[in-house]
Amino acid sequence: MRRENQSSVSEFLLLGLPIQPEEQGMYYALFLAMYLTTLLGNLLIILLIRLDSRLHTPMYFFLSHLALTDICFSSVTAPKMLMNMLMQTQSISYAGCICQEFFFLLFASVDSFLLTSMAYDRYVAICHPLHYTRMMRQSLCFLLVFVSWVLCSAVALLHTLLLVRLSFLRNNTIRHFFCDLSALLKLSSSDTTINQLAILIVGSVVITLPFICILVSYGHIGATILRRPSIKGICKALSTCGSHLSVVSLYYGGIIALYFVPSSNSTNDKDVIVSVLYTVVTPMLNPFIYSLRNRDMKGALRNILSRGIISM
């Protein structure tokens, strides 16, 4: 049989957000403001934790890494989306698309493990308060963060290596605003069975298993509170866990809506909109959740502001 003269694509076309051309300017200003808020808000959290010695605890150690991850996670997709909206371009190089997919998977997975570490920290603090210092020692905190980054790097690298072996011969149009892994697999002209199997197995490790661990941790926390019911204890638990539970709900709510709720089309407007909430809105809201619901963070901010006013 005569083989068709085809070559692999050198770039992809990102169709972007499902908005009208006349609304591009308004949405560009909105998403630029949200991205800058994400950067400044998470940088403020890192700065407060760094400068206030009272925040040098395991919970805020994990929170500082979560803030850093949120900055990186949002920066993987938002700048390219904003540039495409501003320049009215849609193209992204093959290498750029692969790199974007790698870092998206990396930071999304690290977020999951950091939220799990924070849930374990809250479990120890409420269920085993007398042994908290021994159980949540500094070396364990460093180990949990180190293992999270190493394991998630390996997961992202695995998916990337499986992706680059695929051929993209017929279509290079991605109905999304970034190089989403599932969208890329739908475009491939190669057999993606191994890729789909890797997503199923590895997704269970980096998403499902951490989520179960979080549920188990809060199940023990709830049981501990119910064994010793008191208004003071309930209020303390809510103030301690409320911020983390809000962030967990946003993070896993986006994942469930995006990957577990069936869509009528392969990649429709709903998927793109939920992806915006997951990649842009959630990292922006995290600093507000922790600053508004956390007395320690508000106290640290007041101290920093008062120092600045006094020194002027």
Side-chain angles (χ1 to χ4, degrees), residues 234-290:
I234 293 174
C235 292
K236 184 177 180 181
L238 288 176
S239 64
T240 303
C241 304
S243 300
H244 181 254
L245 276 174
S246 301
V247 174
V248 168
S249 300
L250 283 173
Y251 178 82
Y252 285 101
I255 291 178
I256 291 171
L258 190 58
Y259 297 109
F260 292 92
V261 176
S263 302
S264 56
N265 301 321
S266 58
T267 304
N268 59 12
D269 292 349
K270 187 270 294 183
D271 296 326
V272 177
I273 293 171
V274 173
S275 295
V276 171
L277 297 175
Y278 175 55
T279 60
V280 180
V281 178
T282 298
M284 179 194 70
L285 292 179
N286 289 353
F288 291 101
I289 292 173
Y290 276 103

Side-chain angles (χ1 to χ4, degrees), residues 85-97:
M85 293 175 69
L86 181 65
M87 305 299 294
Q88 297 295 312
T89 60
Q90 296 178 316
S91 64
I92 182 173
S93 67
Y94 176 83
C97 190

Side-chain angles (χ1 to χ4, degrees), residues 6-23:
Q6 292 178 316
S7 60
S8 184
V9 298
S10 60
E11 65 178 20
F12 293 97
L13 298 179
L14 299 172
L15 294 188
L17 301 174
I19 56 179
Q20 298 300 320
E22 60 271 16
E23 299 175 340

Side-chain angles (χ1 to χ4, degrees), residues 163-179:
L163 181 64
V164 297
R165 57 181 280 274
L166 302 179
S167 298
F168 299 89
L169 302 177
R170 293 187 295 271
N171 188 7
N172 68 335
T173 302
I174 302 176
R175 301 181 60 84
H176 222 299
F177 65 93
F178 73 99
C179 293

Side-chain angles (χ1 to χ4, degrees), residues 61-76:
F61 172 76
F62 293 130
L63 177 57
S64 64
H65 281 271
L66 181 67
L68 175 62
T69 305
D70 280 339
I71 291 174
C72 299
F73 184 46
S74 184
S75 298
V76 170

Side-chain angles (χ1 to χ4, degrees), residues 128-303:
H128 304 282
L130 300 179
H131 304 284
Y132 180 79
T133 305
R134 178 179 60 83
M135 295 178 68
M136 293 303 300
R137 56 192 182 277
Q138 190 178 52
S139 58
L140 177 63
C141 296
F142 279 111
L143 179 63
L144 288 174
V145 171
F146 177 76
V147 170
S148 298
W149 281 98
V150 171
L151 183 60
C152 294
S153 297
V155 166
L157 183 61
L158 171 65
H159 284 302
T160 303
L161 292 177
L162 290 176
L163 181 64
V164 297
R165 57 181 280 274
L166 302 179
S167 298
F168 299 89
L169 302 177
R170 293 187 295 271
N171 188 7
N172 68 335
T173 302
I174 302 176
R175 301 181 60 84
H176 222 299
F177 65 93
F178 73 99
C179 293
D180 180 58
L181 179 60
S182 59
L184 286 170
L185 294 183
K186 292 183 177 72
L187 292 181
S188 176
S189 55
S190 305
D191 183 12
T192 61
T193 303
I194 297 178
N195 300 74
Q196 299 289 353
L197 184 61
I199 291 175
L200 179 63
I201 296 175
V202 176
S204 301
V205 175
V206 300
I207 299 296
T208 307
L209 185 59
F211 184 54
I212 292 174
C213 291
I214 292 174
L215 293 179
V216 170
S217 297
Y218 277 101
H220 283 289
I221 290 172
T224 300
I225 295 172
L226 292 176
R227 280 199 299 267
R228 299 189 296 271
S230 68
I231 300 299
K232 183 179 179 180
I234 293 174
C235 292
K236 184 177 180 181
L238 288 176
S239 64
T240 303
C241 304
S243 300
H244 181 254
L245 276 174
S246 301
V247 174
V248 168
S249 300
L250 283 173
Y251 178 82
Y252 285 101
I255 291 178
I256 291 171
L258 190 58
Y259 297 109
F260 292 92
V261 176
S263 302
S264 56
N265 301 321
S266 58
T267 304
N268 59 12
D269 292 349
K270 187 270 294 183
D271 296 326
V272 177
I273 293 171
V274 173
S275 295
V276 171
L277 297 175
Y278 175 55
T279 60
V280 180
V281 178
T282 298
M284 179 194 70
L285 292 179
N286 289 353
F288 291 101
I289 292 173
Y290 276 103
S291 60
L292 294 177
R293 296 179 61 92
N294 192 294
R295 289 178 296 179
D296 293 336
M297 292 296 296
K298 289 188 287 188
L301 180 59
R302 283 194 297 267
N303 290 338

